Amino acid sequence: MKIIDLLTQEKMSLSFEVFPPKTETSFESVKTATEEIAKLRPAFMSVTYGAGGGTSKYTLDIAKNIKELYDVPTLAHLTCVSSSKEMVQQKITEIQAAGIQNVMALRGDIPAELEGADRSHWDYQYAIDLIRELKDSNADFCIGGACYPEVHPESVNQKEDIKRLKEKVDAGCDFLTTQMFFDNNLFYNFLYKIREAGITVPVIPGIMPITNANQIERAMKLSGSFMPQRFKSLADKFGGDPAAMKQAGIAYATDQIIDLYANNICNVHVYSMNKPDVAEKIQSNLSDILSK
């Protein structure tokens, strides 16, 4: 099933993101964790691309396994940075062969060894190049794109960021998923601005449950996310107690999701970090709401 078809239904839904193993030795444990999350029957599951430098082969293995075993719609991430057209075409063929209809088109992080390198000769400079490639291929994909409520780290300002986002949508994105955020007002403000700019595709807010203190610094480094005082107080109070921090982090994420639903945002995506217990608890907290 194409994700865009799910997003056009006026029904509250929850989806989860998982990541593939970095190495073959950890494949089975990651596979088991993603299967446990799939058993929750989310609206869909997205599988990131070569997490932490791991081979992208596992992205497709995990996505295909979820789809075939549990009939959960899957969204396979695909990045293009420093890739050749031949490499990307091969990946497109493999995704098609696996029967996956949904692709998250991303530029991807520039490898550390290529930071500052001349990129003018690269086949793909930005995600928009990959989106155009996907649209021009014979594949009939539903294409997702990423967006940043708090501005992409490499953008000059939000106005420029939204301009580039519209170009990406016009190139063929069917829907957008946001980077994590911890203050819903940032999302509502962003949504207003992009609608004003003529971006009308569905936008799925991405929520990250922070369940241990170590995640806070990493989340800020990855996304530059603003941490509201309410969240800082929570972390200061419970950060030294793993069990309490986990419970508080799940409660905070649940509260964010409930607020989004209450403001007519029907679809929410949770960055599960491959933690079935966290995914299950959040879904359980929302069980009666999701049954509406």
Side-chain angles (χ1 to χ4, degrees):
M1 174 180 270
K2 290 186 176 181
I3 289 171
I4 189 63
D5 295 330
L6 296 170
L7 301 179
T8 53
Q9 300 173 10
E10 293 186 4
K11 184 180 184 302
M12 287 175 283
S13 73
L14 197 66
S15 56
F16 295 109
E17 180 175 286
V18 295
F19 54 80
K22 295 180 182 179
T23 63
E24 187 174 354
T25 55
S26 60
F27 181 83
E28 286 303 319
S29 62
V30 170
K31 178 170 169 283
T32 298
T34 59
E35 287 178 0
E36 289 301 309
I37 294 173
K39 288 177 185 177
L40 299 174
R41 311 299 302 177
F44 69 89
M45 289 174 65
S46 68
V47 186
T48 63
Y49 190 82
T55 173
S56 60
K57 171 184 180 296
Y58 298 130
T59 296
L60 199 53
D61 290 341
I62 294 294
K64 186 177 179 181
N65 183 62
I66 291 166
K67 177 181 176 293
E68 292 181 348
L69 281 186
Y70 299 98
D71 196 30
V72 172
T74 52
L75 170 66
H77 288 214
L78 180 61
T79 67
C80 61
V81 66
S82 73
S83 295
S84 67
K85 284 187 177 291
E86 291 75 18
M87 291 167 63
V88 167
Q89 280 297 330
Q90 178 62 32
K91 288 299 175 185
I92 291 173
T93 300
E94 291 171 1
I95 293 170
Q96 278 185 289
I100 293 170
Q101 296 178 288
N102 308 290
V103 176
M104 188 71 168
L106 305 164
R107 185 197 71 178
D109 296 329
I110 297 173
E113 66 272 17
L114 295 178
E115 283 283 357
D118 177 18
R119 292 186 246 164
S120 61
H121 63 286
W122 289 7
D123 287 338
Y124 304 93
Q125 297 284 331
Y126 304 102
I128 191 171
D129 301 320
L130 177 58
I131 293 164
R132 288 172 177 150
E133 186 90 2
L134 289 164
K135 293 299 288 187
D136 289 343
S137 70
N138 293 323
D140 181 24
F141 289 130
C142 172
I143 303 172
C147 60
Y148 290 72
E150 299 177 66
V151 186
H152 190 285
E154 296 176 18
S155 290
V156 177
N157 52 50
Q158 191 171 54
K159 183 178 180 180
E160 181 68 17
D161 195 27
I162 292 173
K163 178 183 176 183
R164 299 304 176 198
L165 183 62
K166 184 160 191 318
E167 291 173 358
K168 194 159 66 171
V169 170
D170 290 345
C173 268
D174 296 295
F175 69 94
L176 298 167
T177 303
T178 77
Q179 179 59 270
M180 70 187 80
F181 57 88
F182 300 93
D183 182 343
N184 285 5
N185 287 325
L186 291 170
F187 173 74
Y188 299 137
N189 185 51
F190 171 73
L191 198 59
Y192 173 80
K193 288 180 178 179
I194 66 171
R195 296 307 188 217
E196 283 277 291
I199 298 172
T200 60
V201 298
V203 181
I204 310 173
I207 300 298
M208 167 74 87
I210 299 293
T211 56
N212 68 71
N214 293 334
Q215 284 181 285
I216 298 172
E217 184 177 349
R218 177 168 171 77
M220 292 181 71
K221 182 179 179 181
L222 284 175
S223 65
S225 298
F226 166 71
M227 296 291 182
Q229 186 56 49
R230 177 168 166 258
F231 183 83
K232 290 179 182 178
S233 297
L234 176 155
D236 287 344
K237 179 69 175 177
F238 304 115
D241 183 331
M245 184 64 212
K246 183 175 182 179
Q247 189 174 57
I250 289 171
Y252 189 93
T254 300
D255 185 56
Q256 275 192 277
I257 296 167
I258 290 172
D259 179 74
L260 289 163
Y261 287 152
N263 282 280
N264 297 319
I265 305 299
C266 293
N267 314 103
V268 178
H269 195 56
V270 175
Y271 298 114
S272 75
M273 301 301 290
N274 288 14
K275 297 177 180 177
D277 57 331
V278 173
E280 190 281 327
K281 184 61 178 175
I282 289 176
Q283 189 178 73
S284 175
N285 287 345
L286 302 165
S287 58
D288 289 335
I289 293 172
L290 290 170
S291 68
K292 301 298 183 185

